[in-house]
């Protein structure tokens, strides 16, 4: 989801409301006639029973308090939320896309739920990439709801005709399989695995796979990590892997063209992206399309993936913060998460994951730094420019990484 700016008036309202603190639901009970919860229409159409069960449990714990569920659409929910922040009132609980969280956390729009963390089921094993999206300056503001993973979508017929009878269990094995695919498919521009050169979601997976990172907060300041030895190893591995498997432009992004368009045109044996990519492979290849987990460089491990998904937060303008946190507790209970899982969703914790491709892909995950100015890093194309420099050879891996790392630290440390 695209982040949207918050009006200055919202910030004033939020800061004024921050004096209302949140205390642990285990030690304090609030009473109110009702609370308002904003959920996306996905829940309304996909798992209304899960919502109803959570409401029933909440009302059993809080007799006389009703839950007013108001379903929102992704297209305009932020605009509506901004209006409630500016005018006061609004929901007591709100569902947010995980990439929407940072801007609002930085603006003080959500209540601090840190004291509640131990009361949320499975909080010790929340999916790493999803949990990170709800933390700002070390405090918890968003509780993981459910996730969406990135997987490899591939042509079963091409893999079979190339003599690949076992799916790759490491990046090295994937490279070896790619050579077989190239030998059987000699058409110009054919990619065994289509990766856009500057697709930093794929590239950063390699960085995290080798133990590196993008940036971390140290003593109140952001420090770039891309030039660390582990990050350099990951970037070097990405360069070598891209060169071996992809025939895409080294300077293109993942939307020009979309990987699934290349796939649907018969120009790729596989592609990396959200699991929903399978919807867009073209009628000709629907019957010969399947998915598997992108392997890491260590045999038998998965590549850490960037998770999509949703978090649940309590707006700072709520007058029922403790009740809002209690409702989130019921809606993200183990029973609720298993019910979501039964509907085809990825639950919010590693100990709840099943054996589906999407769930196995979510086991290792990462997220961008939750910094106020991260959006400026993205808008400035710092990571994309670094990858283009590396793949084209304009700079060495170390030179490009050091420049990007310094730029990221400079941007993130802006006041």
């Amino acid at each position: 989801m695209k982040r949207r700016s918050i009006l200055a008036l919202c910030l004033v309202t939020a800061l004024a409301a921050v004096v209302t603190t949140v205390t642990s639901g285990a030690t304090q009970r609030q009473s109110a006639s009702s609370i308002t919860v904003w959920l996306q229409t996905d829940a309304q159409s996909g798992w209304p029973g899960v919502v109803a069960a959570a409401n029933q449990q909440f009302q059993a714990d809080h007799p006389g308090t009703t839950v007013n569920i108001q379903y929102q659409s992704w297209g305009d929910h932020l605009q509506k939320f901004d209006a409630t922040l500016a005018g006061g009132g609004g929901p007591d609980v709100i569902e947010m896309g995980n990439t929407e969280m940072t801007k609002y956390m930085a603006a003080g729009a959500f209540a601090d739920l840190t004291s509640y963390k131990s009361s949320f089921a499975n909080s010790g094993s929340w999916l790493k990439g999803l949990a990170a999206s709800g933390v700002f300056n070390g405090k918890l503001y968003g509780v993981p709801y459910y996730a969406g993973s990135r997987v490899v979508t591939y042509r079963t017929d091409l893999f079979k005709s190339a003599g690949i009878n076992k799916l790759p269990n490491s990046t090295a094995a994937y490279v070896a399989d790619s050579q077989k695919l190239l030998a059987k498919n000699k058409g110009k521009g054919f990619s065994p695995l289509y990766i856009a050169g500057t697709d930093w979601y794929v590239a950063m997976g390699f960085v995290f796979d080798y133990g590196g990172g993008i940036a971390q907060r140290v003593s109140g300041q952001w420090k770039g990590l891309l030039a660390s030895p582990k990050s350099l190893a990951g970037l070097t591995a990405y360069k070598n892997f891209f060169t071996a498997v992809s025939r895409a432009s080294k300077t293109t992004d993942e939307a020009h063209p979309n990987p699934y368009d290349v796939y649907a045109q018969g120009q790729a044996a596989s592609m990396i992206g959200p699991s929903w990519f399978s919807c867009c492979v073209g009628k000709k290849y629907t019957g010969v399309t399947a998915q598997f987990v992108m392997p890491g460089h260590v045999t038998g491990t998965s590549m850490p993936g960037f998770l999509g998904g949703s978090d649940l937060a309590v707006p700072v303008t709520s007058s029922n913060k403790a009740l809002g946190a209690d409702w989130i507790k019921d809606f993200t209970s183990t029973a609720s998460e298993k019910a979501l899982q039964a509907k085809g969703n990825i639950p919010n914790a590693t100990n709840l994951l099943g054996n589906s491709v999407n769930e196995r892909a979510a086991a290792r995950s990462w997220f961008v730094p939750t910094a106020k100015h991260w959006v400026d890093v993205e808008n400035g194309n710092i990571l994309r420019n670094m990858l283009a420099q590396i793949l084209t050879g304009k700079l060495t891996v170390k030179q490009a990484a050091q420049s990007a790392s310094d730029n990221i630290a400079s941007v993130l440390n802006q006041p």
Side-chain angles (χ1 to χ4, degrees):
M1 300 297 162
K2 294 183 178 178
R3 301 184 178 92
R4 305 182 186 204
S5 61
I6 306 176
L7 300 174
L9 181 58
C10 299
L11 300 178
V12 175
T13 303
L15 290 175
V18 118
V19 295
T20 304
T21 58
V22 181
T23 56
S24 172
T27 60
Q28 175 177 325
R29 292 286 185 184
Q30 278 189 313
S31 61
S33 59
S34 68
I35 62 169
T36 298
V37 176
W38 282 14
L39 293 177
Q40 294 298 315
T41 54
D42 307 287
Q44 182 180 30
S45 60
W47 44 94
V50 181
V51 178
N55 289 345
Q56 183 177 15
Q57 180 60 56
F58 175 84
Q59 289 171 323
D61 294 338
H62 301 277
T65 302
T66 59
V67 183
N68 177 24
I69 304 291
Q70 296 180 1
Y71 290 102
Q72 311 296 322
S73 62
W74 288 114
D76 64 0
H77 79 121
L78 293 185
Q79 182 180 1
K80 293 174 67 174
F81 184 43
D82 289 349
T84 67
L85 288 174
D92 299 295
V93 176
I94 184 170
E95 176 184 350
M96 300 284 288
N98 63 334
T99 59
E100 297 171 338
M101 288 290 296
T102 297
K103 193 80 172 181
Y104 286 85
M105 291 190 295
F110 297 136
D112 180 0
L113 301 178
T114 306
S115 64
Y116 274 90
K117 184 176 180 181
S118 62
S119 72
F120 296 125
N122 308 299
S123 59
S125 57
W126 280 340
L127 300 177
K128 185 176 180 181
L130 191 59
S133 67
V135 176
F136 187 79
N137 287 349
K139 296 181 179 181
L140 178 69
Y141 293 97
V143 176
Y145 172 14
Y146 70 98
S149 60
R150 297 170 65 87
V151 299
V152 177
T153 300
Y154 76 106
R155 291 266 306 274
T156 58
D157 57 333
L158 293 185
F159 272 57
K160 183 177 180 179
S161 65
I164 302 169
N165 300 312
K166 180 181 179 182
L167 293 174
N169 60 1
S170 68
T171 50
Y174 209 156
V175 169
D177 288 342
S178 295
Q179 300 310 307
K180 297 177 182 177
L181 287 163
L182 282 173
K184 291 289 289 186
N185 302 273
K186 300 181 182 298
K188 184 179 180 181
F190 175 84
S191 289
L193 171 57
Y194 182 87
I195 304 172
T198 66
D199 187 343
W200 58 271
Y201 292 104
V202 175
M204 291 304 104
F206 281 78
V207 169
F208 283 92
D209 190 37
Y210 278 79
I214 300 172
Q216 68 178 4
R217 195 171 174 84
V218 179
S219 301
Q221 291 289 304
W222 286 96
K223 176 184 178 182
L225 299 177
L226 289 173
S228 69
K230 291 181 179 179
S231 293
L232 291 176
L235 289 170
T236 300
Y238 172 71
K239 178 181 181 179
N240 294 337
F241 186 78
F242 176 90
T243 301
V245 306
S246 182
R247 295 299 176 265
S249 165
K250 297 175 181 179
T251 58
T252 192
D253 65 35
E254 61 275 16
H256 301 89
N258 289 308
Y260 48 79
D261 289 332
V262 177
Y263 185 102
Q265 293 163 7
Q267 286 295 94
S270 58
M271 56 182 169
I272 303 177
S275 58
W276 58 261
F277 272 15
S278 61
C279 77
C280 311
V281 298
K283 292 183 179 180
K284 184 177 180 180
Y285 303 122
T286 299
V288 290
T289 290
Q291 295 179 324
F292 63 87
V293 179
M294 176 65 186
H297 76 284
V298 175
T299 300
T301 63
S302 60
M303 178 76 71
F306 179 87
L307 289 183
S310 286
D311 296 320
L312 298 165
V314 175
V316 75
T317 50
S318 168
S319 58
N320 303 304
K321 295 182 179 66
L323 288 174
D326 275 357
W327 186 88
I328 293 174
K329 180 182 68 175
D330 291 331
F331 194 53
T332 58
S333 67
T334 297
S336 291
E337 291 294 325
K338 286 185 175 180
L340 283 170
Q341 185 180 37
K343 294 294 184 178
N345 298 297
I346 299 175
N348 66 1
T350 55
N351 61 299
L352 300 178
L353 294 177
N355 198 42
S356 70
V357 172
N358 288 337
E359 291 176 81
R360 285 186 284 117
R364 296 185 73 200
S365 57
W366 61 273
F367 196 68
V368 298
T370 52
K372 177 181 179 181
H373 289 289
W374 174 255
V375 66
D376 299 321
V377 172
E378 289 194 23
N379 290 341
N381 291 320
I382 294 176
L383 291 175
R384 293 192 189 281
N385 291 337
M386 175 192 70
L387 294 174
Q389 291 165 343
I390 289 173
L391 295 178
T392 60
K394 289 183 177 179
L395 293 177
T396 66
V397 173
K398 186 173 183 179
Q399 288 171 335
Q402 187 66 65
S403 176
S405 190
D406 291 343
N407 285 342
I408 288 173
S410 177
V411 170
L412 297 188
N413 286 318
Q414 293 178 97

